[in-house]
Amino acid sequence: MSAEAMDVRRLVLLRAAPERVWTALRDELPAVATHLRGIDAVRRLEHAAGDGGVVHTVHEWTAAASLTAAIERYVDRGALTWVERATWHEPAREARWTVASRLLGGDLTGTGTTRLEPAMGGRGTRLHFAVGASLARGALGPIGQGAFRGRLEDAAAELLARTLQALGAAVEAHLAGARPD
């Protein structure tokens, strides 16, 4: 992240026990994502258990873009995907993750944490997100410097935060057995 990039934070309150929310996010993300608007698919690439309750996951996300025919011929659909790598720490109920967008050749990245805490006497969950984004130096040539670069990083972090906030609602829908959108 550049020095000017903001750290976006969100808190989502869910009506499901932390254990279920944790499992849904860590182990059932492709099914949870079917409840997210704007996401075509999430595909699990890796899920590996490590020592001490640590799990490493890798997912490929694909945006559901409805583009006009005039624009579609100029857009590489592969650029509408990103790879998310997460390390889930069971004892702390915290995940640290990175997101690398294929847009701009991978020069736009996001980082963050997802932390779960019990709420409502253990029947609910406080889901904390902290998000930042970074644009590699030189990614956009001279226009990708200074204030423009900072604003682009802020916009990307805000978009990630909104997606994560929507992910909370998607977890609730998934756990309730709702039919995907």
Side-chain angles (χ1 to χ4, degrees):
M1 256 184 302
S2 70
E4 307 87 32
M6 68 177 170
D7 185 20
V8 179
R9 295 182 183 275
R10 293 287 189 273
L11 170 65
V12 178
L13 188 60
L14 303 177
R15 295 176 303 250
E19 299 78 22
R20 281 298 294 131
V21 173
W22 179 260
T23 299
L25 288 170
R26 186 190 65 193
D27 302 334
E28 303 165 11
L29 189 57
V32 169
T34 63
H35 299 279
L36 279 171
R37 291 178 192 224
I39 301 298
D40 189 40
V42 171
R43 187 168 59 104
R44 178 184 296 158
L45 303 178
E46 186 178 316
H47 189 278
D51 295 334
V54 173
V55 173
H56 302 281
T57 61
V58 179
H59 293 91
E60 180 183 66
W61 295 62
T62 303
S66 53
L67 305 172
T68 64
I71 294 174
E72 185 153 352
R73 65 180 172 204
Y74 298 106
V75 174
D76 172 12
R77 288 238 174 232
L80 302 176
T81 64
W82 56 96
V83 174
E84 164 252 329
R85 299 175 193 286
T87 302
W88 299 82
H89 300 274
E90 178 76 38
R93 282 224 179 97
E94 181 176 274
R96 296 188 177 279
W97 47 265
T98 61
V99 175
S101 171
R102 292 216 170 97
L103 189 64
L104 300 175
D107 286 340
L108 181 60
T109 59
T111 58
T113 59
T114 302
R115 188 171 40 88
L116 285 75
E117 294 177 343
M120 298 181 274
R123 295 183 320 272
T125 303
R126 277 189 299 276
L127 192 52
H128 299 266
F129 297 111
V131 181
S134 177
L135 179 64
R137 294 209 181 277
L140 296 176
I143 67 165
Q145 304 303 317
F148 179 78
R149 178 174 178 225
R151 284 193 292 274
L152 184 59
E153 289 173 335
D154 291 348
E158 186 63 38
L159 180 61
L160 270 170
R162 277 192 230 138
T163 301
L164 292 169
Q165 200 164 353
L167 186 61
V171 167
E172 278 196 325
H174 171 70
L175 294 177
R179 295 179 56 83
D181 290 337

